[in-house]
Amino acid sequence: MKHAVLGDFLVLPWSSSGSRPGVLEDGQGGLLLRCGAAVGVALICVVVLRKWIAGGVCHCLVRLDGKTVLVTGANTGIGKETCRDLAGRGARVVMACRDLRKAEQAAEEIRRSTGNGNVVIRHLDLASMFSVTQFAKDFLDSEDRLDILINNAGVMMCPRWITEDGFETQMAVNHLGHFLLTNLLLPMLKSSAPSRVINVSSIAHQGGRIDFDDLFFSKKSYGALESYRQSKLANVLFTRELARRLRGSGVSAFCLHPGVIRTELMRHVSGWFPLIGALLRLPGLLMMKTPWQGCQTTLFCAVMPGLEDRSGCYFSDCAEKEAAPEGRDDEAARRLWEESSRLVGLKDRC
């Protein structure tokens, strides 16, 4: 077919295939449209998923000038981000850490990023009751007040290690060390009232069980996950009993689930479950909070005004949630307190 000239316009003939010049075949165009739509939907789903996983955010702008905050396990992960936020609010932040070299690096970074030079480090090994006792003595001798105690440090699903005191490590670090520390610091918490104690627990307390006849797996075979659940349930029960004993003192106690977070806490998981470890390194990362996102509920419990009447409660995603039935057992909470006191050699402090 020949082309024709009409006035100043050049009229081109239709191609033999029936498609217009420069336009893709219908099949190709439809495929590209479908692929583009699929990619767009996938990106939207990822954004929505990440927002849902991120959970609640603490929007409270309360300042903490003149207040002193103590955070355990503060040189990495959510502990470090918690310290950064609290330092940004003007608080004196005491970072209690086992590794002083890493702690000083983290503290200096926080000082630079917040402009708050009142960030200090102190040595604390929660696996050693001697270290906890010495830390508390030095703190009481050198500090004037304690407004917020954040028991953040923890270990997760480590091998069956026994501490110098003869305790299984997860129960020692996650519960007994913090139990002793909190009790030793109660005089200063009371004198600084209104003050708060925040215990970082986990949703893993669901399904946990306190085996009072064999807390340290001396008789039965050791299960890393079973031990972790027991220690996290102990955090919830400790908070509940602490709140009951401190009623009317001006000291409030809260516990929380921070979420599943990309931190060093997960380092032992891949050893027990290689497949899970591999998944966490790739697409599984989309399913985990960042340390900043993970510290939001801790901050909420630490600074949100008006929470005093919720003392003893459990929080997640910056909102009060109902703990598992095993975490609401008042008799187990009382018995755990008594057994913990015996194990760490503590006479009743409250």
Side-chain angles (χ1 to χ4, degrees):
M1 182 183 295
K2 297 181 179 180
H3 63 265
V5 177
L6 297 176
D8 294 330
F9 297 94
L10 177 66
V11 180
L12 297 175
W14 291 101
S15 65
S16 59
S17 64
S19 62
R20 297 178 183 179
V23 179
L24 292 172
E25 296 285 347
D26 287 344
Q28 291 176 302
L31 178 62
L32 285 177
L33 281 173
R34 287 193 293 272
C35 288
V39 170
V41 170
L43 288 175
I44 292 172
C45 289
V46 168
V47 171
V48 172
L49 177 64
R50 286 299 305 156
K51 185 174 178 61
W52 177 75
I53 289 170
V57 174
C58 179
H59 297 290
C60 177
L61 300 178
V62 164
R63 295 285 302 176
L64 296 175
D65 303 279
K67 307 291 188 181
T68 297
V69 180
L70 169 60
V71 183
T72 68
N75 64 281
T76 187
I78 62 175
K80 180 180 175 182
E81 291 306 316
T82 299
C83 290
R84 191 194 307 278
D85 183 280
L86 298 174
R89 296 171 186 268
R92 171 174 172 79
V93 178
V94 180
M95 302 171 65
C97 307
R98 187 167 56 90
D99 188 326
L100 290 182
R101 181 183 62 82
K102 291 182 179 179
E104 182 51 43
Q105 291 175 351
E108 183 54 32
E109 181 187 328
I110 291 170
R111 295 182 196 114
R112 287 197 308 268
S113 63
T114 63
N116 184 349
N118 203 5
V119 178
V120 300
I121 64 170
R122 294 181 185 274
H123 180 262
L124 172 63
D125 181 359
L126 286 160
S128 165
M129 298 306 113
F130 174 80
S131 176
V132 173
T133 302
Q134 190 61 47
F135 173 93
K137 180 180 182 303
D138 293 343
F139 189 94
L140 294 172
D141 288 343
S142 59
E143 300 291 335
D144 296 324
R145 60 184 302 115
L146 178 57
D147 300 275
I148 305 172
L149 168 60
I150 301 178
N151 292 320
N152 166 81
V155 291
M156 179 180 180
M157 294 177 63
C158 61
R160 187 178 183 270
W161 295 330
I162 302 300
T163 70
E164 64 187 43
D165 302 290
F167 305 149
E168 185 274 319
T169 297
Q170 291 193 90
M171 195 62 171
V173 173
N174 296 350
H175 169 62
L176 291 173
H178 284 131
F179 173 85
L180 178 59
L181 176 67
T182 302
N183 274 279
L184 294 176
L185 295 179
L186 275 179
M188 186 170 283
L189 283 162
K190 289 178 178 178
S191 67
S192 305
S195 54
R196 296 183 181 185
V197 177
I198 292 94
N199 295 317
V200 178
S201 181
S202 169
I203 197 173
H205 80 277
Q206 297 180 5
R209 185 176 74 91
I210 306 295
D211 187 348
F212 290 103
D213 296 323
D214 191 17
L215 283 175
F216 307 132
F217 295 83
S218 302
K219 303 172 185 176
K220 61 179 178 292
S221 61
Y222 176 73
L225 179 57
E226 183 182 354
S227 173
Y228 181 68
R229 282 179 168 174
Q230 176 179 246
S231 69
K232 293 290 101 179
L233 175 57
N235 295 153
V236 178
L237 294 173
F238 168 45
T239 303
R240 192 174 182 89
E241 180 66 6
L242 180 65
R244 187 188 69 80
R245 289 171 176 252
L246 291 176
R247 196 170 295 133
S249 70
V251 183
S252 305
F254 310 97
C255 62
L256 63 102
H257 168 56
V260 182
I261 307 159
R262 297 196 294 267
T263 70
E264 293 180 3
L265 189 64
M266 303 292 291
R267 62 188 178 274
H268 296 295
V269 175
S270 59
W272 292 103
F273 303 104
L275 178 58
I276 293 179
L279 290 174
L280 292 178
R281 285 192 292 270
L282 294 171
L285 293 178
L286 288 173
M287 304 298 293
M288 304 170 79
K289 292 184 179 183
T290 65
W292 181 84
Q293 292 165 342
C295 77
Q296 294 304 302
T297 305
T298 299
L299 296 172
F300 179 87
C301 292
V303 303
M304 182 61 68
L307 290 184
E308 288 75 16
D309 63 343
R310 310 314 301 156
S311 184
C313 291
Y314 172 79
F315 291 77
S316 178
D317 284 330
C318 298
E320 183 183 346
K321 301 291 174 65
E322 187 172 68
E326 50 267 34
R328 304 194 304 270
D329 187 335
D330 289 328
E331 176 57 28
R334 180 195 61 77
R335 187 177 176 188
L336 177 65
W337 183 286
E338 293 174 352
E339 181 64 10
S340 300
S341 296
R342 184 188 69 80
L343 288 168
V344 302
L346 180 75
K347 295 181 180 178
D348 258 357
R349 294 289 177 123
C350 61

